[in-house]
Amino acid sequence: MKKKRNNPETIGLHGGEYRKDPTTNAVTVPIYRTTAYQFDNTEHAAKLFRLEEFGNIYTRIMNPTNDVLEKRLAELEGGLACLTVSSGQTASTFAVLNVAQAGDNIVSSTDLYGGTVSLFTNTLSKLGIEIRYADPVDPYNFEKLIDKNTRAFYGETLPNPYLRVFPIKEVSDIGKKYNIPLIMDNTAAPVICKPIEHGAAITIHSLTKYIGGHGTAVAGSIVDGGNFDWTADPKRQPLFNEPDPSYGDVIWGKAVPELTGANIPFAVRARVCLLRDLGSSLAPDNAFSIIQGLETCALRMKQHCENASKVVDFLSKHKEVSKVIYSTKHEKKISDRARKYLSGGNGAMVGIELKGGIEAGKKFIESLKMFYHVANIGDARSLATHPASTTHSQLNKKQLAASGVTQGYVRLCIGIEHIDDIIGDLDQALNRSTKGKLKAVS
Ligand code: PLP
């Protein structure tokens, strides 16, 4: 048996089975720009379709470039299998649709990316899937919302704007009592957190962010931890325990472990049903870009986090800043979660509220010279965003308040530039933020 690798620096470069291209010996993973794959014979084709043998059929469902990325991501997250998809949004959509159908519900954290709130509130609820919201400050808020139709819990490891680390083990332990899997969006904390090791069943990523790291491709992934018993309570997980007429009446929870020898029905069902039907596959060109990013992700995360912690120290003492929001700067109970679940760094997102309020916030963003003003996170470059007017602008007042976005909040994603340049840019922009109208008043 292959020795298990634990070091993310090595997994990023060597994870999975790929060593060299089998036909050319190329070391860099080739982009397999092919739609279809020649079957050896009719029996071979039939076996592939019956899942009696695993192999390439059609690029909507699998591709050799994507396969290398999937194996590396599964290893990075400490899971058993992975499916890459066209975006982080697709990853969250698939993760929910793979367990829940009309009439079912999932219990989700209130601390969520704005696009996920929109997906849950608009599209998924129109499909008949109810999303119940629990404040993760108290993990038992999740338990209170469970009923017989609850199919999953959903949370984000390091959600902005609050930047409160999610109580992964506490919520997954509650889920285990009811056979409810925990799905974690780990987009903001690759390498520094492995939710599966703390009991999550599934992790998803927007690979567009830290894993890609260079702003060159939109992509998403779903990792199956292989640690959840999908058949323990058939009524709780009907999609894994009832015959599926769309695939020859297969019972996914039983058939997949029998066919593959691995407890990965979630990953297989998402691939062969959801990708088959919805088709939101990742283009192999984009998989290639993400593979390049993954090679240095561990190194970048280290630098991102080291820089962010220096920025937090600097901002905490700055005269124009009224509040600094960071994973370790909450009341003890919440900051302890950063210590418990993050290792090798505390994240690279930092929130600030300026003494001059919304006007100073806008002036500050417009005065930044090196930071980019974008609706994005996780780029190697430093980024600044005003969520109320961008990423969270489609939320109503109640949703905004629940997500913690105030009008004056500015989100900084600290990049990997030299720390002196990062602090220099922040300092000059903060000093300008009250120049003009506001300064004259004070
Ligand atoms: N999850 C989180 C935490 C995000 O920040 C984002 C995007 O910002 C997404 C999911 C969606 O990812 P994508 O933009 O790749 O669809």
Side-chain angles (χ1 to χ4, degrees):
M1 203 180 145
K2 233 171 68 184
K3 197 168 166 276
K4 204 171 166 233
R5 273 177 292 242
N6 277 324
N7 298 323
E9 297 83 353
T10 312
I11 292 171
L13 289 154
H14 300 282
E17 290 152 13
Y18 182 87
R19 179 75 188 157
K20 58 185 172 62
D21 179 60
T23 50
T24 64
N25 282 5
V27 171
T28 298
V29 181
I31 304 175
Y32 285 93
R33 275 192 173 172
T34 181
T35 307
Y37 306 84
Q38 165 84 356
F39 301 123
D40 297 341
N41 49 49
T42 48
E43 181 54 16
H44 176 226
K47 277 188 172 169
L48 291 175
F49 274 89
R50 288 197 302 261
L51 303 179
E52 284 167 20
E53 194 178 319
F54 282 86
N56 296 318
I57 298 176
Y58 188 65
T59 280
R60 179 171 4 107
I61 302 167
M62 71 283 280
N63 175 280
T65 309
N66 299 23
D67 183 60
V68 175
L69 175 60
E70 286 163 352
K71 294 205 162 86
R72 288 190 181 162
L73 289 169
E75 208 169 318
L76 181 77
E77 291 282 275
L80 286 190
C82 171
L83 173 69
T84 50
V85 288
S86 58
S87 67
Q89 280 300 99
T90 303
S92 6
T93 308
F94 276 28
V96 176
L97 290 183
N98 210 26
V99 278
Q101 49 195 333
D104 294 343
N105 67 73
I106 69 159
V107 181
S108 168
S109 169
T110 44
D111 278 11
L112 285 182
Y113 161 59
T116 309
V117 178
S118 175
L119 165 73
F120 286 177
T121 315
N122 303 311
T123 303
L124 291 186
S125 64
K126 285 202 183 96
L127 294 178
I129 298 169
E130 185 196 351
I131 315 292
R132 302 176 171 190
Y133 289 102
D135 185 340
V137 165
D138 181 356
Y140 288 96
N141 289 333
F142 281 74
E143 189 162 26
K144 287 179 203 153
L145 295 176
I146 296 171
D147 70 9
K148 67 177 185 8
N149 295 326
T150 303
R151 304 286 173 246
F153 289 155
Y154 191 100
E156 261 183 55
T157 309
L158 185 53
N160 72 87
Y162 284 125
L163 300 174
R164 301 186 292 209
V165 171
F166 188 82
I168 306 172
K169 182 170 186 317
E170 292 83 343
V171 174
S172 93
D173 281 351
I174 293 169
K176 277 178 193 144
K177 288 199 282 177
Y178 300 88
N179 290 299
I180 295 174
L182 171 63
I183 301 166
M184 286 299 303
D185 180 337
N186 198 32
T187 298
V191 178
I192 59 172
C193 183
K194 284 190 183 178
I196 288 167
E197 287 185 351
H198 302 291
I202 307 297
T203 64
I204 65 149
H205 272 276
S206 165
L207 302 172
T208 319
K209 315 297 176 191
Y210 290 99
I211 292 183
H214 301 284
T216 54
V218 172
S221 65
I222 303 168
V223 170
D224 185 335
N227 55 356
F228 186 78
D229 188 350
W230 296 95
T231 54
D233 181 354
K235 287 213 168 78
R236 178 63 75 192
Q237 298 300 341
L239 290 175
F240 291 89
N241 290 282
E242 288 171 8
D244 181 351
S246 88
Y247 222 106
D249 281 340
V250 67
I251 296 177
W252 293 109
K254 289 198 177 120
V256 174
E258 278 168 21
L259 289 167
T260 64
N263 180 31
I264 51 167
F266 191 92
V268 172
R269 186 181 184 280
R271 182 185 297 281
V272 301
C273 293
L274 295 177
L275 265 187
R276 174 196 64 189
D277 295 350
L278 299 175
S280 329
S281 29
L282 178 63
D285 291 62
N286 283 347
F288 176 83
S289 287
I290 304 292
I291 289 170
Q292 305 316 299
L294 182 57
E295 292 192 348
T296 56
C297 179
L299 210 62
R300 281 184 284 108
M301 282 311 287
K302 209 167 164 183
Q303 195 61 42
H304 276 296
C305 294
E306 202 177 298
N307 283 351
S309 118
K310 288 179 182 156
V311 164
V312 168
D313 289 345
F314 165 76
L315 292 171
S316 304
K317 292 177 208 134
H318 203 285
K319 63 181 187 345
E320 305 295 354
V321 176
S322 56
K323 190 170 175 196
V324 178
I325 299 124
Y326 191 55
S327 61
T328 53
K329 282 182 79 73
H330 298 281
E331 58 179 291
K332 186 174 177 309
K333 176 176 136 187
I334 305 295
S335 289
D336 279 350
R337 290 182 189 160
R339 284 181 268 284
K340 181 168 176 185
Y341 293 115
L342 305 184
S343 70
N346 291 306
M349 273 190 278
V350 182
I352 47 172
E353 302 264 4
L354 299 189
K355 286 191 187 144
I358 181 162
E359 288 310 318
K362 284 187 188 163
K363 189 92 193 288
F364 164 70
I365 287 209
E366 281 167 14
S367 304
L368 287 165
K369 292 193 171 118
M370 188 181 77
F371 276 65
Y372 281 90
H373 176 200
V374 292
N376 195 13
I377 63 168
D379 198 290
R381 301 156 192 86
S382 288
L383 315 173
T385 311
H386 182 232
S389 61
T390 56
T391 50
H392 289 62
S393 61
Q394 272 135 43
L395 306 191
N396 61 35
K397 275 193 182 151
K398 204 170 147 214
Q399 290 166 334
L400 269 182
S403 72
V405 171
T406 59
Q407 292 295 322
Y409 177 91
V410 175
R411 184 184 70 204
L412 303 172
C413 283
I414 307 303
I416 61 170
E417 300 95 342
H418 194 283
I419 187 62
D420 293 350
D421 298 322
I422 294 173
I423 288 183
D425 197 27
L426 290 172
D427 193 34
Q428 66 79 23
L430 283 169
N431 292 334
R432 277 166 197 252
S433 68
T434 49
K435 291 260 162 61
K437 202 172 144 219
L438 284 161
K439 193 131 198 185
V441 175
S442 58

